Every structure is written in C-alpha cells, then in structure tokens.
Amino acid sequence: MSHKITLLYAEDEVETRQNHLEYLKDRYDFDYIEANDGLEALALFKEHKPEIILTDITMPHMDGLTFIEHVREHSPHTKVVVMTAYDEREKLMKALGLDVVSYLLKPINRRKLSSAVDIALETLPPCDEEYICRIDKDTRWDEQQKGLFRFGEMVEMSQLEKRLLSLLCGYKTQEVSSQDIYYHVWQDLDSEFSMDSVRTLVKKLRKKMPEGAITNSYGGFYQLRS
C-alpha cells in the first residue's frame, strides 16, 4: 500500500476496546480511530474513510448492523469485521449479507482478531495512484472504477459524463477541442458534430465538480484545472 491504512474500532465497552487496540497497535502500523456507538462511528467513517472497520453489533444509539448498512451505501470496498457476545443466527446471516470479512464471538481470542484483520488487509482493493486523477483535495476520478468521488462518496453520473471526465483527465495538462470531445464521448463518427451538445454536457458535469474545475477557452476548448 502506498498510504497508511486507517482502522475504525466501534465498541461501547471502553475497556474491551482499549485492550484490543493496544494489541493491534503492537502488530499493525495503522491510523486508529475509536467510536463509542454506531452514530459516532458513522460520523467518523464519513470524515476519515477508513479502509477497515471493527464493530460491535450491540451498541447504543445505532446498532452495528445498521451502521454497516450505512457504510455499504457509500463504500462497497471497506472491509468490516463484526463482533458480538451472542451467537445469533439471524444477525449472522444479515452480517454476511452485508459482505463482512469475519464474524467474531466474544470474548474474542487475540489470534482470531489478528487473523480477521489479516484477511481484511489481504482482500483490500489495490490503491494504484496511476489510475487516480485528483481534481482537488476532496475530489478524484478513479479510472479503474469509472467513478467520480467527492468527500469519499461516489457521485451519480451518466455514461456520457463519465466518458467526458475520463477524457479530460487523460489530457489534464492539455486543452481538448469540442470536436474531439464530441467524437470521443458520443462515439459515433457518422453523426454530425454538435457544439451545443458538448456545451450542454460540460455544463452538466460542472455541476457535479468543484467550482472552476473545468476551464474553457475561445474556440470551444476545455481543460481540467491543474
């Protein structure tokens, strides 16, 4: 990994959480974040975008499964390990449906805990900067996922908008003509070039981007702000 992994630990039993974190900190060079309940965990998840989450199921204000459901709305790739004091089949099946990597019963054996974290690490998707186009500190285009992310959340986009942004990212240091945009994005060499179609598409994409991210110059040329 080219960056430091962040792990969020959500557990309302402070002593249990601190004991487990003390053990994990001796084994893994992560950034660690702690939450006392599901609501706090969700707020910290949105702020820090951790790659790995350890969460208890039974917590005040918001239970662990509801917390994971919210996480999955924003991130299908975050690795989640759930912990519970009860062997409840219904909750186990629900957790598995939320794509958790492991389900640990309390009291948790430290070897099983580290094994679960190891699995989470091994199954993390690669973070290859070669495929990332950074637009500003909170916004990036991921060429592998074909997705625009703002503040850690994927922005809903049309296929035409995705093709346009992919093109602009590919030529980030250069201006791209409206004609090149038209034939690359619409992918129809037999159709008649339409400057208005390009302007309309750029306008739609700008609404989903940071202000001033797409610049234009006389003659219908566009470029991502560097």
PDB file of all heavy atoms in Angstrom, residues 3-4 13 17 26 32 65 67 70-71 74 77 89 95 100 108 120-121 132 141 144 156 158 161 180 198 210 226:
ATOM      1  N   HIS A   3      -0.145   4.221   1.007  1.00  0.00           N
ATOM      2  CA  HIS A   3      -0.564   5.129   2.056  1.00  0.00           C
ATOM      3  C   HIS A   3      -0.884   4.326   3.304  1.00  0.00           C
ATOM      4  O   HIS A   3      -1.006   3.106   3.262  1.00  0.00           O
ATOM      5  CB  HIS A   3      -1.784   5.934   1.614  1.00  0.00           C
ATOM      6  CG  HIS A   3      -3.027   5.093   1.496  1.00  0.00           C
ATOM      7  ND1 HIS A   3      -3.184   4.147   0.512  1.00  0.00           N
ATOM      8  CD2 HIS A   3      -4.155   5.047   2.253  1.00  0.00           C
ATOM      9  CE1 HIS A   3      -4.355   3.557   0.651  1.00  0.00           C
ATOM     10  NE2 HIS A   3      -4.960   4.074   1.702  1.00  0.00           N
ATOM     11  N   LYS A   4      -1.013   5.012   4.413  1.00  0.00           N
ATOM     12  CA  LYS A   4      -1.249   4.341   5.682  1.00  0.00           C
ATOM     13  C   LYS A   4      -2.712   3.938   5.807  1.00  0.00           C
ATOM     14  O   LYS A   4      -3.620   4.730   5.538  1.00  0.00           O
ATOM     15  CB  LYS A   4      -0.856   5.272   6.829  1.00  0.00           C
ATOM     16  CG  LYS A   4      -0.550   4.550   8.139  1.00  0.00           C
ATOM     17  CD  LYS A   4       0.106   5.516   9.113  1.00  0.00           C
ATOM     18  CE  LYS A   4       0.549   4.794  10.380  1.00  0.00           C
ATOM     19  NZ  LYS A   4       1.209   5.724  11.317  1.00  0.00           N
ATOM     20  N   GLU A  13     -17.994  -0.840  24.924  1.00  0.00           N
ATOM     21  CA  GLU A  13     -17.286  -1.299  26.116  1.00  0.00           C
ATOM     22  C   GLU A  13     -15.844  -0.791  26.038  1.00  0.00           C
ATOM     23  O   GLU A  13     -15.007  -1.339  25.331  1.00  0.00           O
ATOM     24  CB  GLU A  13     -17.309  -2.825  26.199  1.00  0.00           C
ATOM     25  CG  GLU A  13     -18.717  -3.396  26.366  1.00  0.00           C
ATOM     26  CD  GLU A  13     -18.728  -4.918  26.397  1.00  0.00           C
ATOM     27  OE1 GLU A  13     -17.624  -5.518  26.377  1.00  0.00           O
ATOM     28  OE2 GLU A  13     -19.825  -5.495  26.437  1.00  0.00           O
ATOM     29  N   ARG A  17     -12.439  -2.327  24.164  1.00  0.00           N
ATOM     30  CA  ARG A  17     -11.892  -1.626  23.006  1.00  0.00           C
ATOM     31  C   ARG A  17     -10.429  -1.266  23.221  1.00  0.00           C
ATOM     32  O   ARG A  17      -9.589  -1.468  22.339  1.00  0.00           O
ATOM     33  CB  ARG A  17     -12.718  -0.371  22.735  1.00  0.00           C
ATOM     34  CG  ARG A  17     -12.334   0.346  21.443  1.00  0.00           C
ATOM     35  CD  ARG A  17     -13.224   1.542  21.191  1.00  0.00           C
ATOM     36  NE  ARG A  17     -12.925   2.652  22.067  1.00  0.00           N
ATOM     37  CZ  ARG A  17     -13.821   3.274  22.842  1.00  0.00           C
ATOM     38  NH1 ARG A  17     -15.074   2.899  22.855  1.00  0.00           N
ATOM     39  NH2 ARG A  17     -13.444   4.289  23.607  1.00  0.00           N
ATOM     40  N   ASP A  26       0.395  -2.895  18.500  1.00  0.00           N
ATOM     41  CA  ASP A  26       1.698  -3.564  18.557  1.00  0.00           C
ATOM     42  C   ASP A  26       1.983  -4.359  17.287  1.00  0.00           C
ATOM     43  O   ASP A  26       3.146  -4.652  16.986  1.00  0.00           O
ATOM     44  CB  ASP A  26       1.761  -4.512  19.763  1.00  0.00           C
ATOM     45  CG  ASP A  26       1.921  -3.763  21.078  1.00  0.00           C
ATOM     46  OD1 ASP A  26       2.393  -2.606  21.041  1.00  0.00           O
ATOM     47  OD2 ASP A  26       1.571  -4.326  22.125  1.00  0.00           O
ATOM     48  N   TYR A  32      -5.500   4.778  13.857  1.00  0.00           N
ATOM     49  CA  TYR A  32      -6.633   4.195  14.583  1.00  0.00           C
ATOM     50  C   TYR A  32      -7.624   5.279  15.009  1.00  0.00           C
ATOM     51  O   TYR A  32      -7.233   6.345  15.472  1.00  0.00           O
ATOM     52  CB  TYR A  32      -6.145   3.440  15.825  1.00  0.00           C
ATOM     53  CG  TYR A  32      -5.354   2.188  15.495  1.00  0.00           C
ATOM     54  CD1 TYR A  32      -3.972   2.247  15.334  1.00  0.00           C
ATOM     55  CD2 TYR A  32      -5.996   0.957  15.340  1.00  0.00           C
ATOM     56  CE1 TYR A  32      -3.243   1.105  15.028  1.00  0.00           C
ATOM     57  CE2 TYR A  32      -5.270  -0.189  15.035  1.00  0.00           C
ATOM     58  CZ  TYR A  32      -3.893  -0.110  14.883  1.00  0.00           C
ATOM     59  OH  TYR A  32      -3.173  -1.239  14.570  1.00  0.00           O
ATOM     60  N   LEU A  65     -25.129  -3.427  12.884  1.00  0.00           N
ATOM     61  CA  LEU A  65     -25.622  -3.820  11.570  1.00  0.00           C
ATOM     62  C   LEU A  65     -26.200  -2.628  10.808  1.00  0.00           C
ATOM     63  O   LEU A  65     -25.990  -2.494   9.590  1.00  0.00           O
ATOM     64  CB  LEU A  65     -26.671  -4.929  11.705  1.00  0.00           C
ATOM     65  CG  LEU A  65     -26.132  -6.275  12.204  1.00  0.00           C
ATOM     66  CD1 LEU A  65     -27.269  -7.290  12.323  1.00  0.00           C
ATOM     67  CD2 LEU A  65     -25.045  -6.815  11.281  1.00  0.00           C
ATOM     68  N   PHE A  67     -25.268   0.435  11.247  1.00  0.00           N
ATOM     69  CA  PHE A  67     -24.069   1.204  10.893  1.00  0.00           C
ATOM     70  C   PHE A  67     -23.437   0.658   9.612  1.00  0.00           C
ATOM     71  O   PHE A  67     -23.108   1.411   8.685  1.00  0.00           O
ATOM     72  CB  PHE A  67     -23.077   1.158  12.059  1.00  0.00           C
ATOM     73  CG  PHE A  67     -21.667   1.563  11.721  1.00  0.00           C
ATOM     74  CD1 PHE A  67     -21.404   2.758  11.065  1.00  0.00           C
ATOM     75  CD2 PHE A  67     -20.601   0.741  12.063  1.00  0.00           C
ATOM     76  CE1 PHE A  67     -20.096   3.134  10.751  1.00  0.00           C
ATOM     77  CE2 PHE A  67     -19.302   1.109  11.755  1.00  0.00           C
ATOM     78  CZ  PHE A  67     -19.052   2.297  11.093  1.00  0.00           C
ATOM     79  N   HIS A  70     -25.275   1.592   6.460  1.00  0.00           N
ATOM     80  CA  HIS A  70     -24.953   2.954   6.009  1.00  0.00           C
ATOM     81  C   HIS A  70     -23.585   2.994   5.328  1.00  0.00           C
ATOM     82  O   HIS A  70     -23.404   3.695   4.322  1.00  0.00           O
ATOM     83  CB  HIS A  70     -24.973   3.918   7.192  1.00  0.00           C
ATOM     84  CG  HIS A  70     -26.353   4.268   7.671  1.00  0.00           C
ATOM     85  ND1 HIS A  70     -27.247   4.988   6.910  1.00  0.00           N
ATOM     86  CD2 HIS A  70     -26.993   3.987   8.841  1.00  0.00           C
ATOM     87  CE1 HIS A  70     -28.370   5.147   7.587  1.00  0.00           C
ATOM     88  NE2 HIS A  70     -28.248   4.547   8.755  1.00  0.00           N
ATOM     89  N   VAL A  71     -22.627   2.244   5.869  1.00  0.00           N
ATOM     90  CA  VAL A  71     -21.299   2.185   5.263  1.00  0.00           C
ATOM     91  C   VAL A  71     -21.393   1.651   3.835  1.00  0.00           C
ATOM     92  O   VAL A  71     -20.793   2.196   2.905  1.00  0.00           O
ATOM     93  CB  VAL A  71     -20.352   1.290   6.097  1.00  0.00           C
ATOM     94  CG1 VAL A  71     -19.069   0.988   5.322  1.00  0.00           C
ATOM     95  CG2 VAL A  71     -20.016   1.953   7.424  1.00  0.00           C
ATOM     96  N   HIS A  74     -22.225   3.893   0.940  1.00  0.00           N
ATOM     97  CA  HIS A  74     -21.173   4.801   0.480  1.00  0.00           C
ATOM     98  C   HIS A  74     -19.943   4.074  -0.044  1.00  0.00           C
ATOM     99  O   HIS A  74     -19.219   4.622  -0.878  1.00  0.00           O
ATOM    100  CB  HIS A  74     -20.741   5.738   1.613  1.00  0.00           C
ATOM    101  CG  HIS A  74     -21.847   6.576   2.171  1.00  0.00           C
ATOM    102  ND1 HIS A  74     -22.385   7.639   1.487  1.00  0.00           N
ATOM    103  CD2 HIS A  74     -22.539   6.490   3.333  1.00  0.00           C
ATOM    104  CE1 HIS A  74     -23.356   8.188   2.211  1.00  0.00           C
ATOM    105  NE2 HIS A  74     -23.461   7.510   3.330  1.00  0.00           N
ATOM    106  N   HIS A  77     -16.271  -1.308  -0.784  1.00  0.00           N
ATOM    107  CA  HIS A  77     -14.944  -1.912  -0.649  1.00  0.00           C
ATOM    108  C   HIS A  77     -14.389  -1.907   0.773  1.00  0.00           C
ATOM    109  O   HIS A  77     -13.413  -2.598   1.049  1.00  0.00           O
ATOM    110  CB  HIS A  77     -13.954  -1.204  -1.573  1.00  0.00           C
ATOM    111  CG  HIS A  77     -14.355  -1.217  -3.007  1.00  0.00           C
ATOM    112  ND1 HIS A  77     -14.505  -2.375  -3.715  1.00  0.00           N
ATOM    113  CD2 HIS A  77     -14.679  -0.209  -3.856  1.00  0.00           C
ATOM    114  CE1 HIS A  77     -14.878  -2.089  -4.955  1.00  0.00           C
ATOM    115  NE2 HIS A  77     -15.001  -0.786  -5.063  1.00  0.00           N
ATOM    116  N   ARG A  89     -28.098 -16.508  14.953  1.00  0.00           N
ATOM    117  CA  ARG A  89     -28.071 -16.890  13.543  1.00  0.00           C
ATOM    118  C   ARG A  89     -28.644 -15.789  12.646  1.00  0.00           C
ATOM    119  O   ARG A  89     -28.095 -15.496  11.586  1.00  0.00           O
ATOM    120  CB  ARG A  89     -28.856 -18.189  13.343  1.00  0.00           C
ATOM    121  CG  ARG A  89     -28.866 -18.653  11.889  1.00  0.00           C
ATOM    122  CD  ARG A  89     -29.543 -20.011  11.736  1.00  0.00           C
ATOM    123  NE  ARG A  89     -29.593 -20.393  10.349  1.00  0.00           N
ATOM    124  CZ  ARG A  89     -28.591 -20.934   9.667  1.00  0.00           C
ATOM    125  NH1 ARG A  89     -27.424 -21.122  10.267  1.00  0.00           N
ATOM    126  NH2 ARG A  89     -28.709 -21.262   8.393  1.00  0.00           N
ATOM    127  N   ALA A  95     -25.349 -10.059   8.712  1.00  0.00           N
ATOM    128  CA  ALA A  95     -23.991  -9.532   8.595  1.00  0.00           C
ATOM    129  C   ALA A  95     -23.306 -10.082   7.353  1.00  0.00           C
ATOM    130  O   ALA A  95     -22.635  -9.353   6.621  1.00  0.00           O
ATOM    131  CB  ALA A  95     -23.190  -9.877   9.850  1.00  0.00           C
ATOM    132  N   VAL A 100     -19.382  -8.838   5.198  1.00  0.00           N
ATOM    133  CA  VAL A 100     -18.337  -8.704   6.217  1.00  0.00           C
ATOM    134  C   VAL A 100     -17.282  -9.776   5.985  1.00  0.00           C
ATOM    135  O   VAL A 100     -17.558 -10.835   5.416  1.00  0.00           O
ATOM    136  CB  VAL A 100     -18.921  -8.818   7.650  1.00  0.00           C
ATOM    137  CG1 VAL A 100     -19.998  -7.775   7.869  1.00  0.00           C
ATOM    138  CG2 VAL A 100     -19.459 -10.210   7.914  1.00  0.00           C
ATOM    139  N   ILE A 108     -13.254 -12.357  22.644  1.00  0.00           N
ATOM    140  CA  ILE A 108     -12.533 -12.560  21.391  1.00  0.00           C
ATOM    141  C   ILE A 108     -11.089 -12.970  21.646  1.00  0.00           C
ATOM    142  O   ILE A 108     -10.345 -12.305  22.364  1.00  0.00           O
ATOM    143  CB  ILE A 108     -12.586 -11.276  20.547  1.00  0.00           C
ATOM    144  CG1 ILE A 108     -14.037 -10.979  20.160  1.00  0.00           C
ATOM    145  CG2 ILE A 108     -11.726 -11.415  19.292  1.00  0.00           C
ATOM    146  CD1 ILE A 108     -14.237  -9.631  19.512  1.00  0.00           C
ATOM    147  N   ALA A 120      -8.799  -8.984   6.178  1.00  0.00           N
ATOM    148  CA  ALA A 120      -9.249  -7.682   5.681  1.00  0.00           C
ATOM    149  C   ALA A 120      -8.153  -7.021   4.848  1.00  0.00           C
ATOM    150  O   ALA A 120      -8.404  -6.479   3.769  1.00  0.00           O
ATOM    151  CB  ALA A 120      -9.655  -6.788   6.847  1.00  0.00           C
ATOM    152  N   LEU A 121      -6.910  -7.079   5.328  1.00  0.00           N
ATOM    153  CA  LEU A 121      -5.794  -6.483   4.604  1.00  0.00           C
ATOM    154  C   LEU A 121      -5.573  -7.163   3.254  1.00  0.00           C
ATOM    155  O   LEU A 121      -5.362  -6.504   2.238  1.00  0.00           O
ATOM    156  CB  LEU A 121      -4.515  -6.600   5.434  1.00  0.00           C
ATOM    157  CG  LEU A 121      -4.269  -5.539   6.501  1.00  0.00           C
ATOM    158  CD1 LEU A 121      -3.047  -5.910   7.326  1.00  0.00           C
ATOM    159  CD2 LEU A 121      -4.078  -4.170   5.866  1.00  0.00           C
ATOM    160  N   ILE A 132      -5.640   7.208 -10.636  1.00  0.00           N
ATOM    161  CA  ILE A 132      -6.374   8.243  -9.916  1.00  0.00           C
ATOM    162  C   ILE A 132      -6.065   9.608 -10.510  1.00  0.00           C
ATOM    163  O   ILE A 132      -4.905   9.994 -10.656  1.00  0.00           O
ATOM    164  CB  ILE A 132      -6.019   8.237  -8.410  1.00  0.00           C
ATOM    165  CG1 ILE A 132      -6.310   6.873  -7.793  1.00  0.00           C
ATOM    166  CG2 ILE A 132      -6.782   9.346  -7.689  1.00  0.00           C
ATOM    167  CD1 ILE A 132      -7.765   6.458  -7.846  1.00  0.00           C
ATOM    168  N   TRP A 141     -11.144  11.344  -9.653  1.00  0.00           N
ATOM    169  CA  TRP A 141     -11.708  10.436 -10.646  1.00  0.00           C
ATOM    170  C   TRP A 141     -10.895   9.153 -10.617  1.00  0.00           C
ATOM    171  O   TRP A 141      -9.668   9.177 -10.700  1.00  0.00           O
ATOM    172  CB  TRP A 141     -11.658  11.055 -12.046  1.00  0.00           C
ATOM    173  CG  TRP A 141     -11.926  10.070 -13.153  1.00  0.00           C
ATOM    174  CD1 TRP A 141     -11.016   9.502 -13.987  1.00  0.00           C
ATOM    175  CD2 TRP A 141     -13.205   9.541 -13.554  1.00  0.00           C
ATOM    176  NE1 TRP A 141     -11.625   8.662 -14.877  1.00  0.00           N
ATOM    177  CE2 TRP A 141     -12.975   8.660 -14.638  1.00  0.00           C
ATOM    178  CE3 TRP A 141     -14.511   9.730 -13.099  1.00  0.00           C
ATOM    179  CZ2 TRP A 141     -14.000   7.969 -15.274  1.00  0.00           C
ATOM    180  CZ3 TRP A 141     -15.535   9.049 -13.734  1.00  0.00           C
ATOM    181  CH2 TRP A 141     -15.286   8.183 -14.795  1.00  0.00           C
ATOM    182  N   GLN A 144     -10.126   3.157 -12.899  1.00  0.00           N
ATOM    183  CA  GLN A 144     -10.443   1.737 -12.810  1.00  0.00           C
ATOM    184  C   GLN A 144     -11.916   1.514 -12.487  1.00  0.00           C
ATOM    185  O   GLN A 144     -12.576   0.660 -13.079  1.00  0.00           O
ATOM    186  CB  GLN A 144      -9.577   1.061 -11.751  1.00  0.00           C
ATOM    187  CG  GLN A 144      -8.140   0.810 -12.202  1.00  0.00           C
ATOM    188  CD  GLN A 144      -7.366   0.009 -11.191  1.00  0.00           C
ATOM    189  OE1 GLN A 144      -7.351   0.316  -9.997  1.00  0.00           O
ATOM    190  NE2 GLN A 144      -6.692  -1.030 -11.646  1.00  0.00           N
ATOM    191  N   GLU A 156     -23.233  10.275  -8.641  1.00  0.00           N
ATOM    192  CA  GLU A 156     -24.009   9.664  -9.711  1.00  0.00           C
ATOM    193  C   GLU A 156     -23.740  10.408 -11.022  1.00  0.00           C
ATOM    194  O   GLU A 156     -23.830  11.635 -11.091  1.00  0.00           O
ATOM    195  CB  GLU A 156     -25.503   9.715  -9.379  1.00  0.00           C
ATOM    196  CG  GLU A 156     -26.369   8.967 -10.365  1.00  0.00           C
ATOM    197  CD  GLU A 156     -27.832   8.916  -9.948  1.00  0.00           C
ATOM    198  OE1 GLU A 156     -28.122   9.195  -8.762  1.00  0.00           O
ATOM    199  OE2 GLU A 156     -28.671   8.599 -10.807  1.00  0.00           O
ATOM    200  N   SER A 158     -23.905  10.118 -15.601  1.00  0.00           N
ATOM    201  CA  SER A 158     -24.323   9.421 -16.813  1.00  0.00           C
ATOM    202  C   SER A 158     -23.085   8.863 -17.516  1.00  0.00           C
ATOM    203  O   SER A 158     -21.952   9.260 -17.223  1.00  0.00           O
ATOM    204  CB  SER A 158     -25.054  10.381 -17.749  1.00  0.00           C
ATOM    205  OG  SER A 158     -24.142  11.341 -18.283  1.00  0.00           O
ATOM    206  N   GLU A 161     -21.170  11.648 -19.212  1.00  0.00           N
ATOM    207  CA  GLU A 161     -20.383  12.446 -18.269  1.00  0.00           C
ATOM    208  C   GLU A 161     -19.108  11.708 -17.873  1.00  0.00           C
ATOM    209  O   GLU A 161     -18.033  12.312 -17.757  1.00  0.00           O
ATOM    210  CB  GLU A 161     -21.222  12.775 -17.037  1.00  0.00           C
ATOM    211  CG  GLU A 161     -22.340  13.764 -17.311  1.00  0.00           C
ATOM    212  CD  GLU A 161     -23.356  13.842 -16.187  1.00  0.00           C
ATOM    213  OE1 GLU A 161     -23.358  12.946 -15.293  1.00  0.00           O
ATOM    214  OE2 GLU A 161     -24.162  14.778 -16.191  1.00  0.00           O
ATOM    215  N   ASP A 180     -13.083  16.956 -30.668  1.00  0.00           N
ATOM    216  CA  ASP A 180     -12.502  15.726 -30.107  1.00  0.00           C
ATOM    217  C   ASP A 180     -13.402  15.168 -28.999  1.00  0.00           C
ATOM    218  O   ASP A 180     -13.583  13.951 -28.884  1.00  0.00           O
ATOM    219  CB  ASP A 180     -11.105  15.991 -29.556  1.00  0.00           C
ATOM    220  CG  ASP A 180     -10.064  16.142 -30.657  1.00  0.00           C
ATOM    221  OD1 ASP A 180     -10.324  15.677 -31.782  1.00  0.00           O
ATOM    222  OD2 ASP A 180      -8.991  16.728 -30.393  1.00  0.00           O
ATOM    223  N   VAL A 198     -21.932  19.452 -26.817  1.00  0.00           N
ATOM    224  CA  VAL A 198     -20.739  19.468 -25.959  1.00  0.00           C
ATOM    225  C   VAL A 198     -20.912  20.486 -24.842  1.00  0.00           C
ATOM    226  O   VAL A 198     -20.634  20.192 -23.670  1.00  0.00           O
ATOM    227  CB  VAL A 198     -19.472  19.773 -26.791  1.00  0.00           C
ATOM    228  CG1 VAL A 198     -18.262  19.939 -25.861  1.00  0.00           C
ATOM    229  CG2 VAL A 198     -19.224  18.672 -27.805  1.00  0.00           C
ATOM    230  N   PRO A 210     -16.021  20.411  -8.385  1.00  0.00           N
ATOM    231  CA  PRO A 210     -15.690  21.635  -7.647  1.00  0.00           C
ATOM    232  C   PRO A 210     -15.769  22.848  -8.567  1.00  0.00           C
ATOM    233  O   PRO A 210     -15.509  22.735  -9.765  1.00  0.00           O
ATOM    234  CB  PRO A 210     -14.249  21.391  -7.183  1.00  0.00           C
ATOM    235  CG  PRO A 210     -14.061  19.909  -7.237  1.00  0.00           C
ATOM    236  CD  PRO A 210     -14.928  19.424  -8.351  1.00  0.00           C
ATOM    237  N   SER A 226      -5.490  22.449 -13.308  1.00  0.00           N
ATOM    238  CA  SER A 226      -4.387  21.716 -12.680  1.00  0.00           C
ATOM    239  C   SER A 226      -4.012  22.369 -11.363  1.00  0.00           C
ATOM    240  O   SER A 226      -4.397  23.491 -11.066  1.00  0.00           O
ATOM    241  CB  SER A 226      -3.192  21.672 -13.615  1.00  0.00           C
ATOM    242  OG  SER A 226      -2.782  22.979 -13.962  1.00  0.00           O
TER     243      SER A 226
END
